């Protein structure tokens, strides 16, 4: 069964971001896609210290939720990351988590489908959305899209329940993501994954 891993970057397990993610989970259930929701935003997650431990050991030197989630991400067919908007960016906890999750794992993320979801009271949504999508687009992960940028508005879960367009965007996003996961599974059988070249570095004309 296909599986989507869902990260909630909010410290509120039942807040606005959670309400948006729940709307997606209902659709994944209808689509026969398994989900696992991980509450990240209420954990004590430090930032990357660029120590290089992961390049030798295949996991982060800080043995916390990042190392617990890494094998689940390796198995998953899709990743949804949700964040509240803090000063027009993702909140600090989910940023620290995403930096370390993506940097410390060397397994292929190619053709795992990614989706970012953001929740704001007023503004900063699209800047936050851009930041989160960049983890996917550096990793060979196709990004699922919807009928608007993937955002809801509110200060409480009750506000988001009244954001009918936001919730509609979440349902359409989950439907599109489900379709992509199923289609890529078929395409992998038929064509295999595309070749990935590595090793070239920017701005060094002699290649050294
Ligand atoms: C530190 C902090 C910074 C925030 N910055 C913004 C902001 O820049 N723009 C905005 O619209 N809301 C901002 N908010 C409000 C939250 O993004 C908004 O209420 C969000 O929907 C809460 O989601 P949650 O219930 O999932 O935590 C901020 C909240 C906090 C705690």
């Amino acid at each position: 069964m296909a599986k989507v891993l869902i990260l909630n970057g909010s410290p509120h397990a039942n807040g606005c971001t959670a309400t948006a993610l729940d709307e997606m989970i209902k659709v994944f259930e209808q689509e026969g896609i398994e989900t696992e929701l991980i509450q990240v935003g209420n954990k004590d997650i430090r930032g990357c210290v660029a120590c290089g431990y992961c390049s030798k050991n295949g996991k982060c030197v800080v043995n916390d939720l990042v190392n617990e989630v890494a094998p689940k991400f390796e198995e998953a067919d899709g990743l949804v990351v949700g964040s509240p908007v803090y000063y027009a960016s993702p909140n600090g906890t989910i940023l620290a988590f995403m930096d370390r999750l993506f940097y410390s794992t060397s397994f292929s993320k190619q053709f795992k489908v990614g989706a970012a979801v953001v929740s704001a009271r007023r503004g900063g949504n699209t800047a936050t959305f851009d930041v989160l999508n960049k983890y996917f687009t550096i990793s060979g992960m196709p990004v699922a899209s919807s009928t608007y940028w993937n955002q809801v508005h509110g200060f409480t879960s009750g506000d988001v329940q009244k954001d009918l367009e936001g919730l509609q965007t979440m349902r359409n996003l989950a439907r599109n993501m489900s379709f992509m996961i199923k289609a890529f599974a078929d395409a992998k059988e038929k064509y295999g994954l595309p070749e990935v070249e590595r090793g070239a570095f920017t701005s060094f004309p002699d290649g050294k």
Side-chain angles (χ1 to χ4, degrees), residues 150-208:
N150 308 332
Q151 56 183 271
V152 293
H153 283 92
F155 191 61
T156 64
S157 170
D159 296 335
V160 173
Q161 277 155 23
K162 289 184 230 158
D163 179 2
L164 298 185
E165 185 171 2
L167 294 177
Q168 176 180 265
T169 304
M170 296 304 131
R171 293 191 297 275
N172 286 331
L173 174 63
R175 280 189 204 105
N176 288 350
M177 194 167 172
S178 304
F179 178 88
M180 287 169 79
I181 287 170
K182 291 171 191 174
F184 288 145
D186 286 354
K188 271 185 230 169
E189 292 267 313
K190 198 166 172 195
Y191 308 114
L193 286 170
E195 183 196 341
V196 181
E197 288 184 44
R198 300 235 178 247
F201 256 51
T202 305
S203 302
F204 299 98
D206 62 357
K208 289 179 191 155

Side-chain angles (χ1 to χ4, degrees), residues 96-113:
F97 185 88
M98 293 290 280
D99 285 354
R100 288 177 44 223
L101 179 68
F102 276 73
Y103 202 78
S104 68
T105 51
S106 57
F107 57 78
S108 170
K109 298 158 187 84
Q110 200 188 13
F111 282 87
K112 293 181 189 293
V113 179

Side-chain angles (χ1 to χ4, degrees), residues 10-12 15-18 84-88 119-124 154-155:
S10 171
H12 304 124
C16 301
T17 313
V85 173
Y86 283 6
Y87 292 95
S119 176
R121 192 174 79 79
R122 288 184 295 175
F155 191 61

Side-chain angles (χ1 to χ4, degrees), residues 7-204:
L7 309 175
N8 184 1
S10 171
H12 304 124
N14 300 303
C16 301
T17 313
T19 306
L21 296 174
D22 282 348
E23 198 70 7
M24 293 183 74
I25 290 170
K26 283 184 233 156
V27 173
F28 286 131
E29 274 168 16
Q30 288 161 8
E31 295 283 341
I33 291 188
E34 197 189 329
T35 56
E36 182 172 352
L37 175 67
I38 315 258
Q39 187 62 40
V40 177
N42 59 352
K43 307 290 187 317
D44 193 5
I45 308 287
R46 65 150 305 128
C48 176
V49 291
C51 65
Y53 177 92
C54 57
S55 66
K56 294 184 196 90
N57 297 282
K59 60 179 185 173
C60 186
V61 69
V62 184
N63 200 21
D64 63 4
L65 187 66
V66 171
N67 287 345
E68 252 177 70
V69 168
K72 296 180 185 205
F73 182 25
E74 185 170 13
E75 289 209 343
D77 304 286
L79 180 72
V80 177
V81 56
S83 177
V85 173
Y86 283 6
Y87 292 95
S89 286
N91 73 332
T93 309
I94 197 69
L95 276 178
F97 185 88
M98 293 290 280
D99 285 354
R100 288 177 44 223
L101 179 68
F102 276 73
Y103 202 78
S104 68
T105 51
S106 57
F107 57 78
S108 170
K109 298 158 187 84
Q110 200 188 13
F111 282 87
K112 293 181 189 293
V113 179
V117 166
V118 304
S119 176
R121 192 174 79 79
R122 288 184 295 175
N125 326 47
T126 56
T128 304
F129 184 60
D130 286 346
V131 171
L132 292 174
N133 279 318
K134 284 177 181 129
Y135 292 93
F136 308 139
T137 51
I138 200 174
S139 307
M141 294 176 63
V143 175
S145 62
S146 184
T147 36
Y148 200 74
W149 300 302
N150 308 332
Q151 56 183 271
V152 293
H153 283 92
F155 191 61
T156 64
S157 170
D159 296 335
V160 173
Q161 277 155 23
K162 289 184 230 158
D163 179 2
L164 298 185
E165 185 171 2
L167 294 177
Q168 176 180 265
T169 304
M170 296 304 131
R171 293 191 297 275
N172 286 331
L173 174 63
R175 280 189 204 105
N176 288 350
M177 194 167 172
S178 304
F179 178 88
M180 287 169 79
I181 287 170
K182 291 171 191 174
F184 288 145
D186 286 354
K188 271 185 230 169
E189 292 267 313
K190 198 166 172 195
Y191 308 114
L193 286 170
E195 183 196 341
V196 181
E197 288 184 44
R198 300 235 178 247
F201 256 51
T202 305
S203 302
F204 299 98

